[in-house]
Amino acid sequence: MDDAYRLPADDRLVAAQDNALATELAGSTRDAFEVLLFEVKRVIVGQDAMVERVLVALLTGGHVLLEGVPGLAKTLTVSTLARALSGSFARVQFTPDLVPSDIVGTRVYRPQDGEFDVELGPVFTNLLLADEINRAPAKVQSALLEVMQERQVTIAGRTHRVPDPFLVLATQNPIENEGTYPLPEAQLDRFLLKIVVGHLDPTEETAVLNRSLAPTPVVRPMLSLDDLVAFQRVTREVYVDPRICAYVVGLVNATRAPAEHGLGGIAPYIAHGASPRGAIGLVHAARALALLRGRGYVVGRDITHLVHDVLRHRIVLSYDALADGVTADELLAAVLEALAPPQVELTAAA
């Protein structure tokens, strides 16, 4: 993890004076999240990239979709992180018989009073774990979509705001399709990140096995919700150079019009490119990643490290891609190879 936080020599920048506050606070933010990370690592072995990306989502306030086969600590990571934060946490196991009121709440008649009361559902929490989200039918997905986008729920004509901060961390199994409902594109676009979780290497798997022989450590709260909200404000102060923004727009545009960027070979594999929300999400996620790595400014490498996680679920593959077994990650790799990040040099104001 130390290597992930080290600034490469060719990316050294001198922050401009207008982002001096973010630069000054970046070190304290990194220190606070390293303490949080250490506490999580007392339970979770490996999966450094997944944990780092979830921390990016926490700082950005975006939702996360975790995709991987069973047994890769997806659910354990989310629940452990929730315990390391002092906020509320709820888990919903999504099943085909779930109905919208099971997650958002409903009106309940009280015969002793002769009145209806509103019983709020499990979405009224700070961290919501939606386990196996693709097993829920369309009506449930629609109800969850309103919460994810609007941060509110409408019950019997009345609007109820969910707590702040509010994040949905959803999991899905990519190898079992029976009894599942593919997530609609509109809902996928609401997830800031889609993280593909892979298997551990043999050394990490041995450590997991050894830890299973001992009692599970008790996770202590290491970060308050007020601290998290304050760090989210710091994240919004991280400086982004206009050339970085132009590079992000070019990356996203290359998924929509590949031929204009010398990528005519991948054009038949893309039915629809990434939405504008992809560009916005990529810049904001890069701000959080820069902060976690101890900087108050974004460099090109922050963008390239996040492209797959932010854009892979926003590209709609064509039938040719499905027939040839071409993945969104392969298409994004081609885009990154064709479009190099800018070498931005900032000088401090006199």
Side-chain angles (χ1 to χ4, degrees):
M1 184 59 70
D2 289 341
D3 291 340
Y5 287 110
R6 191 173 295 118
L7 179 64
D10 60 349
D11 277 338
R12 290 197 188 104
L13 304 177
V14 179
Q17 190 171 9
D18 59 357
N19 75 314
L21 177 60
T23 303
E24 179 182 350
L25 294 178
S28 60
T29 304
R30 173 183 169 178
D31 291 343
F33 275 81
E34 281 188 343
V35 172
L36 178 67
L37 182 64
F38 177 80
E39 190 66 18
V40 171
K41 286 296 182 180
R42 294 175 63 230
V43 177
I44 305 298
V45 176
Q47 304 296 10
D48 290 353
M50 173 178 68
V51 174
E52 185 183 55
R53 298 305 190 265
V54 173
L55 295 182
V56 165
L58 282 176
L59 281 172
T60 311
H63 309 298
V64 180
L65 180 61
L66 299 169
E67 182 177 279
V69 299
L72 298 181
K74 301 185 299 296
T75 302
L76 180 61
T77 297
V78 175
S79 60
T80 301
L81 186 60
R83 292 195 297 272
L85 291 168
S86 59
S88 56
F89 169 70
R91 172 183 175 178
V92 178
Q93 186 68 44
F94 279 52
T95 56
D97 61 346
L98 210 64
V99 296
S101 59
D102 290 333
I103 63 168
V104 301
T106 187
R107 291 207 306 168
V108 177
Y109 180 69
R110 307 291 186 190
Q112 63 271 25
D113 300 327
E115 296 181 353
F116 286 92
D117 289 337
V118 174
E119 289 284 350
L120 300 179
V123 296
F124 287 86
T125 186
N126 296 120
L127 288 179
L128 175 67
L129 172 57
D131 222 351
E132 296 191 277
I133 187 174
N134 56 332
R135 291 195 177 278
K139 285 186 177 181
V140 176
Q141 302 292 355
S142 177
L144 186 61
L145 182 61
E146 180 190 6
V147 187
M148 292 173 61
Q149 180 64 23
E150 306 297 336
R151 313 290 171 125
Q152 66 183 28
V153 167
T154 302
I155 302 175
R158 294 185 57 189
T159 299
H160 304 268
R161 301 287 301 180
V162 296
D164 183 35
F166 170 75
L167 283 89
V168 174
L169 298 108
T171 69
Q172 67 177 7
N173 179 356
I175 62 174
E176 187 177 357
N177 296 320
E178 185 176 353
T180 63
Y181 300 80
L183 300 184
E185 303 303 329
Q187 185 170 7
L188 283 173
D189 203 31
R190 263 64 176 190
F191 284 102
L192 173 67
L193 305 172
K194 178 183 177 181
I195 305 171
V196 176
V197 186
H199 285 285
L200 302 173
D201 62 40
T203 301
E204 292 172 334
E205 196 159 355
T206 300
V208 170
L209 180 59
N210 290 333
R211 285 196 186 184
S212 71
L213 302 177
T216 302
V218 177
V219 180
R220 302 160 296 180
M222 305 303 294
L223 197 68
S224 70
L225 287 182
D226 289 340
D227 291 335
L228 178 59
V229 171
F231 289 137
Q232 288 177 341
R233 287 197 296 267
V234 174
T235 303
R236 292 191 287 271
E237 297 296 328
V238 171
Y239 179 75
V240 184
D241 189 86
R243 285 164 286 184
I244 294 289
C245 292
Y247 175 60
V248 169
V249 171
L251 288 173
V252 173
N253 186 259
T255 68
R256 303 177 196 146
E260 295 179 7
H261 297 268
L263 293 165
I266 69 172
Y269 295 126
I270 301 178
H272 299 283
S275 70
R277 194 178 280 117
I280 295 170
L282 188 51
V283 170
H284 287 280
R287 277 177 152 184
L289 187 61
L291 204 60
L292 287 175
R293 295 178 174 179
R295 283 178 279 106
Y297 47 89
V298 173
V299 297
R301 196 160 299 186
D302 297 324
I303 300 296
T304 58
H305 285 178
L306 288 166
V307 163
H308 290 82
D309 299 305
V310 176
L311 298 183
R312 61 163 57 102
H313 55 296
R314 293 183 163 95
I315 295 177
V316 180
L317 300 177
S318 68
Y319 289 111
D320 289 339
L322 298 176
D324 293 343
V326 177
T327 66
D329 282 353
E330 292 171 336
L331 299 175
L332 289 171
V335 170
L336 285 174
E337 186 176 355
L339 301 177
Q343 297 297 317
V344 180
E345 286 293 339
L346 302 178
T347 56

